[in-house]
Amino acid sequence: MSRFDWLSEFLARFEDDHPIARYEDVRALAPAHRLELDAEDWGAAGKIAAAMGLRHAGVWADPLGDRPSESPQESGSEIEGPAIRVQACLERDGDYLILQTLVPETRPVLDSHTPLFPGVDRLERHAQDLTGVRFHGHPDERRWTRHQAWSTDDFPLRADFPIEGRSVRRTPADVDYPFTRIQGSGVYEIPVGPVHAGIIEPGHFRFQAAGEDVMRLEARLGYVHRGIEKLAVGRDPQGLMRLAGRVSGDSTVAHAWAAAQAMERAVGCALPPRATSLRAILAERERIANHLGDIGAICNDVGFAFAHVQCARLREQWQRRSAALFSHRLMMDTLVPGGVAHDISETDFRELRLDHAALHKAIAPLFDIIDDHPSLDDRLIGTGILAQADARALGCTGYVGKASGLAFDVRRDNPYAPYDQVRVEVPGETAGDVAARVRVRMKEVCASLWMLDRLLDALPEGEIAVPFPLPEEGAVGLGLVEGWRGEILCFVRFAAEGRIARYFPRDPSWFTWPALERLIHGNIVPDFPVCNKSVNGSYAGVDL
Amino acid sequence: MFRILKQSFRTGVVTEAPPDHDDGELERLGIEVRRRIDARFGGSLAIRQVDAGSCNGCELEIHALDNPFYDVERFGIHFVASPRHADVLLVTGPVSRHMETALRRTWRAIPSPKFVVAAGTCACDGGEIGVSYASCGPIENVVPVDVKIPGCPPSPMDLLKGLLGALVIDRERV
């Protein structure tokens, strides 16, 4: 049976009321299908998607400038002058659908999907801040990514905005952000950040608490907005890969893979099997390294230093092997468009084998202790519970979703090479607390370790890269990769001469930051660090 | 408890010797560093780290300095939560415009004498990000920098060498 069995239902429901959807050139964003809508039907499509229980995987805007007629269906567009294309991604059962529409730059207004899908709140505000698209009916009018570095009516991603910006004066602090306040006797506020009391990325948290109980938490991010999307414009594919590897340093392989996948799909570049297997080896190594670090750090946050030290030791050894084999401790710049930059020799192959066996032997007793230690249980079980309904409403993926009963994994549910050749175990827990997130991570470490050996067993011979063809102007591609944090989505559009016109990487953290604000409810302030670490959202990955 | 003791016993000590410049150089450097820490910083060096816009890669490696292989606390180097307690400001990333004021205020909050160390390629010269509407570029565009540790990200060993090196530079700024 062919996939996309819900798409026909979606189309049927849509056609009942709005017969003007264009379902042409459907595979341009494979593996997703693509549906072109009129701008006024944007809200209606969202309503049908919500009624059908689809997951909203994000929305982004793509200012096309004066050339909106790149793809066939838009040549008949009635919009004159510069236009902005807005795209939204929906998912269910591993099948993806991209909705897209066109709005004029002079009056870019669309119905908001946020009232139906609370997880896209900040993505819509991000699009508004950077491109000027306004989402009608959005419950939150406040700016998000924009602080004070550019003014309200400047939109950095539009063609007329210079990359160097328009203001050279010192950027003032973002002190007047209107936080939502709870008032009442005994309620007080704790402001934290952007410079935190540790070695951690910058962001601001505003707690409202009564006694020790957190009544409300609001995150204010955007402090590490570096203009990634604007910097991507005009780069060549190799240049984009270097940038993608630095969207979020701990997910460098995953983001680079997503960008590579998007570009390779845009030009129809088929990878040699050895290259995809090596990419998977890199990605699983990244997953294991980060989980090891986080499991230790979570234990450390509740005073169990033993696990922290042991995990840090294993992580360090693991990273050293990465450095020896792939010339980089975090494996940055190991992926290139069309393949990978490093092959492994017979000696490396044997060393990897021994390494996997050694890690397997080391984690078994360690994870036993973490799994069954009374002082840890006391602090982790029942702490920071994310209800399944909340996880679903926000669209959480990765260990946050998996610990709350949403066992979605791109590697299994919409497999890309080489995961179509290897069994992907997706751990599931239902408790949704910190302990569940730790257990999911421990199981993922074991599953990845098992998978690494299978990938080595079946490592194909041959080339590790093919020449990357020159992309056509207007070619678009979608990357969908399971990073260690969850699903990473990446959109790429090419301009003339193989240059990048638009790059949008959507990190899973967009949905787990709001999850943190919900799961902290009713917990005590001193448990915030451990709750935060168990979610571990990326700041750089969402500030872009 | 027995299981934990058994695991600890089996693991043993994994801490490594400090970075291997040339042996002679290391010895000189080590003695010099010790002397300077004792003289100027009361026997220990307190570092306040600020991420001014990095991708988090540098933070991962700075974290590694505390792992049992490097364990920098044994040299009297420790990371502190407040700039008021710090001798060194260790900054990563290009300075995002949104972090410009926060970085400047943190720098001002550190009592003199103080050192600023820029860690990572972005912090040293802007790296892949450079100067743009969203980024001020290298740290020295916002606060004065004494030592640069390049690398994307610098390895824990590079960081350790850089930090130790930071102490031997001759500086009279108050």
Side-chain angles (χ1 to χ4, degrees):
Chain A
M1 185 178 159
S2 77
R3 294 172 72 90
F4 280 94
D5 43 1
W6 56 265
L7 180 62
S8 47
E9 188 192 341
F10 183 90
L11 284 173
R13 288 202 200 186
F14 192 81
E15 295 292 321
D16 281 347
D17 299 327
H18 317 274
I20 334 176
R22 286 173 293 277
Y23 185 58
E24 300 161 17
D25 195 13
V26 291
R27 302 307 286 178
L29 285 171
H33 281 231
R34 189 164 78 159
L35 185 64
E36 171 87 19
L37 308 176
D38 282 340
E40 55 263 35
D41 294 333
W42 191 252
K47 281 200 185 82
I48 295 169
M52 287 178 62
L54 308 186
R55 175 172 66 91
H56 205 305
V59 56
W60 61 93
D62 182 6
L64 300 173
D66 291 323
R67 331 177 53 171
S69 54
E70 280 164 14
S71 60
Q73 62 265 57
E74 279 154 11
S75 50
S77 157
E78 288 161 15
I79 294 174
E80 285 179 14
I84 301 174
R85 185 193 285 149
V86 182
Q87 293 176 311
C89 183
L90 303 167
E91 179 272 340
R92 195 177 83 185
D93 305 330
D95 296 329
Y96 290 87
L97 171 67
I98 300 279
L99 302 177
Q100 70 173 45
T101 191
L102 217 53
V103 288
E105 237 181 57
T106 46
R107 211 180 56 81
V109 183
L110 274 183
D111 281 337
S112 169
H113 285 168
T114 302
L116 304 154
F117 298 97
V120 296
D121 168 1
R122 289 159 184 185
L123 280 156
E124 287 189 341
R125 285 155 74 191
H126 177 77
Q128 140 85 36
D129 287 352
L130 269 80
T131 67
V133 173
R134 295 196 63 84
F135 289 93
H136 177 73
H138 195 295
D140 198 338
E141 296 273 289
R142 294 173 295 173
R143 60 189 192 271
W144 179 249
T145 306
R146 179 179 69 76
H147 292 191
Q148 317 286 341
W150 69 94
S151 67
T152 325
D153 44 5
D154 272 335
F155 302 108
L157 284 185
R158 289 192 182 178
D160 60 357
F161 186 87
I163 176 84
E164 64 275 11
R166 293 203 173 111
S167 161
V168 287
R169 67 192 172 89
R170 191 178 295 174
T171 313
D174 189 49
V175 287
D176 55 348
Y177 186 75
F179 287 97
T180 310
R181 293 223 156 88
I182 294 181
Q183 290 180 332
S185 90
V187 179
Y188 65 102
E189 241 186 19
I190 312 171
V192 182
V195 177
H196 295 297
I199 304 164
I200 185 173
E201 299 178 85
H204 184 94
F205 297 106
R206 192 62 66 97
F207 295 89
Q208 271 122 32
E212 287 285 39
D213 296 328
V214 178
M215 306 188 74
R216 195 189 147 78
L217 163 65
E218 195 175 335
R220 170 80 182 118
L221 305 183
Y223 285 93
V224 279
H225 175 69
R226 297 151 291 161
I228 293 279
E229 292 161 273
K230 186 78 172 181
L231 283 170
V233 176
R235 286 194 174 219
D236 60 8
Q238 284 76 14
L240 183 71
M241 291 295 281
R242 283 198 307 278
L243 190 65
R246 285 156 184 86
V247 165
S248 177
D250 50 22
S251 303
T252 175
V253 173
H255 270 289
W257 195 351
Q261 217 180 49
M263 291 195 286
E264 285 150 10
R265 283 172 177 164
V267 299
C269 169
L271 254 61
R274 190 177 178 87
T276 55
S277 285
L278 286 170
R279 282 184 180 181
I281 288 172
L282 295 166
E284 297 310 319
R285 288 189 71 82
E286 180 172 272
R287 187 182 318 275
I288 289 174
N290 283 304
H291 279 330
L292 279 177
D294 275 6
I295 292 167
I298 291 167
C299 294
N300 193 47
D301 276 344
V302 294
F304 191 56
F306 164 82
H308 178 54
V309 173
Q310 295 289 343
C311 285
R313 168 181 70 93
L314 295 173
R315 183 190 161 114
E316 175 68 22
Q317 287 173 330
W318 193 248
Q319 282 191 312
R320 287 178 178 201
R321 178 67 65 207
S322 297
L325 261 45
F326 306 108
S327 317
H328 198 286
R329 284 164 56 90
L330 303 176
M331 300 172 294
M332 270 179 185
D333 302 324
T334 46
L335 272 71
V336 292
V340 289
H342 293 274
D343 202 353
I344 55 172
S345 67
E346 275 300 312
T347 338
D348 299 342
F349 189 87
R350 281 193 299 277
E351 279 179 1
L352 273 176
R353 284 262 192 223
L354 292 173
D355 234 29
H356 298 166
L359 183 63
H360 189 77
K361 200 166 164 225
I363 57 175
L366 192 59
F367 285 1
D368 274 352
I369 292 170
I370 295 172
D371 209 20
D372 178 30
H373 194 72
S375 70
L376 276 181
D377 290 352
D378 264 0
R379 296 294 308 280
L380 303 186
I381 293 178
T383 304
I385 298 174
L386 180 69
Q388 186 175 358
D390 283 342
R392 190 182 298 282
L394 293 171
C396 296
T397 58
Y399 47 79
V400 177
K402 286 168 191 168
S404 292
L406 304 179
F408 173 77
D409 193 306
V410 187
R411 293 174 299 169
R412 183 192 63 183
D413 298 320
N414 195 330
Y416 44 101
Y419 294 110
D420 46 357
Q421 305 291 328
V422 58
R423 187 161 60 89
V424 181
E425 274 189 50
V426 182
E429 294 275 339
T430 50
D433 54 4
V434 175
R437 285 188 282 280
V438 172
R439 278 198 300 276
V440 166
R441 286 157 177 274
M442 291 196 295
K443 286 181 192 168
E444 282 202 345
V445 170
C446 298
S448 286
L449 205 47
W450 179 87
M451 197 193 291
L452 277 172
D453 273 335
R454 302 292 86 71
L455 287 166
L456 284 182
D457 286 341
L459 190 66
E461 293 296 322
E463 295 293 308
I464 56 161
V466 289
F468 191 75
L470 187 71
E472 282 177 33
E473 184 175 357
V476 288
L478 193 69
L480 285 161
V481 162
E482 185 76 15
W484 71 278
R485 280 198 177 89
E487 172 204 65
I488 290 176
L489 180 152
C490 172
F491 172 78
V492 168
R493 177 169 63 89
F494 281 103
E497 291 163 4
R499 299 288 159 167
I500 303 293
R502 182 78 172 99
Y503 166 61
F504 179 68
R506 200 234 62 222
D507 196 83
S509 307
W510 281 103
F511 308 115
T512 54
W513 280 117
L516 177 66
E517 294 176 345
R518 293 196 184 193
L519 65 84
I520 194 67
H521 265 238
N523 285 265
I524 56 173
V525 176
D527 273 344
F528 176 70
V530 69
C531 290
N532 186 21
K533 198 70 206 177
S534 74
V535 173
N536 195 4
S538 167
Y539 299 71
V542 300
D543 289 351
L544 295 177
Chain B
M1 200 55 188
F2 178 67
R3 285 192 299 172
I4 294 176
L5 290 173
K6 189 171 142 199
Q7 179 70 22
S8 296
F9 179 72
R10 273 226 219 101
T11 307
V13 174
V14 294
T15 313
E16 295 178 320
D20 196 18
H21 301 249
D22 295 326
D23 284 344
E25 190 199 341
L26 176 67
E27 211 157 285
R28 279 197 310 279
L29 188 67
I31 293 167
E32 187 70 12
V33 163
R34 195 77 249 174
R35 199 170 61 76
R36 295 210 174 219
I37 289 186
D38 287 350
R40 297 180 65 175
F41 297 109
S44 78
L45 190 73
I47 302 176
R48 173 63 252 205
Q49 191 269 342
V50 170
D51 173 349
S54 92
C55 69
N56 201 29
C58 292
E59 277 65 34
L60 292 176
E61 296 296 57
I62 293 170
H63 265 293
L65 286 175
D66 272 332
N67 80 28
F69 281 86
Y70 306 103
D71 186 24
V72 291
E73 294 226 354
R74 68 201 157 110
F75 302 124
I77 296 174
H78 54 270
F79 290 90
V80 295
S82 168
R84 299 277 184 217
H85 303 158
D87 308 307
V88 171
L89 179 63
L90 176 66
V91 197
T92 62
V95 184
S96 76
R97 290 216 187 265
H98 292 163
M99 276 301 284
E100 190 180 357
T101 301
L103 174 64
R104 204 183 294 271
R105 286 180 184 172
T106 308
W107 178 74
R108 275 211 309 265
I110 298 178
S112 295
K114 59 190 168 196
F115 282 108
V116 178
V117 179
T121 302
C122 294
C124 294
D125 64 15
E128 282 294 315
I129 310 295
V131 179
S132 74
Y133 78 96
S135 163
C136 305
I139 309 301
E140 63 193 0
N141 287 357
V142 178
V143 294
V145 169
D146 300 295
V147 176
K148 294 180 179 178
I149 308 175
C152 186
S155 69
M157 223 46 142
D158 295 336
L159 288 164
L160 194 48
K161 281 181 198 166
L163 284 173
L164 295 181
L167 290 157
V168 297
I169 55 165
D170 201 20
R171 237 184 90 244
E172 295 304 320
R173 186 186 298 132
V174 180

